[in-house]
Amino acid sequence: MKNNKHTPGPWKAVSQGYDIGIMSKLGFQVSKIQGNKRDDFANARLIAAAPEMLGALELCCKYVAEYAEAHECLESFKFYDELAKLINKAKGEL
């Protein structure tokens, strides 16, 4: 899989008046959501968690691949393929 091209995490959601900013650990605005309702904050928290979730998916994918190889487990190979698709989608590689 290719290198990440997004701003490194962690990110956090920060209220900015009537909007919500997604901020990097260095204080740069990564993204902005217009609105300040409950579902807007939920969306912002999900976006802010994206870099860490991507890292967890990549780690999980690595272990599933090792397990599938060691045990020649068809279901694990299928699960690996699904994880790889999600990772590639997140990275814009599909």
Side-chain angles (χ1 to χ4, degrees):
M1 289 175 216
K2 297 179 183 176
N3 292 333
N4 295 336
K5 295 180 182 170
H6 62 270
T7 303
W11 297 348
K12 63 181 176 179
V14 178
S15 178
Q16 297 177 328
Y18 291 105
D19 298 323
I20 304 163
I22 311 299
M23 309 300 288
S24 74
K25 64 182 175 184
L26 299 176
F28 297 109
Q29 183 167 297
V30 175
S31 186
K32 182 175 170 179
I33 295 178
Q34 292 181 322
N36 208 343
K37 296 178 279 190
R38 185 184 324 193
D39 59 336
D40 296 326
F41 276 110
N43 292 337
R45 286 191 306 272
L46 183 59
I47 293 167
E52 293 164 277
M53 289 191 296
L54 178 58
L57 274 175
E58 289 173 327
L59 186 60
C60 185
C61 197
K62 174 187 170 201
Y63 288 120
V64 168
E66 290 173 4
Y67 181 88
E69 188 71 30
H71 299 282
E72 297 182 12
C73 177
L74 182 59
E75 288 301 313
S76 294
F77 283 117
K78 289 179 183 177
F79 186 49
Y80 171 84
D81 288 341
E82 291 301 314
L83 289 172
K85 285 178 192 174
L86 285 172
I87 292 166
N88 289 334
K89 183 177 181 180
K91 292 181 174 184
E93 296 175 1
L94 279 182

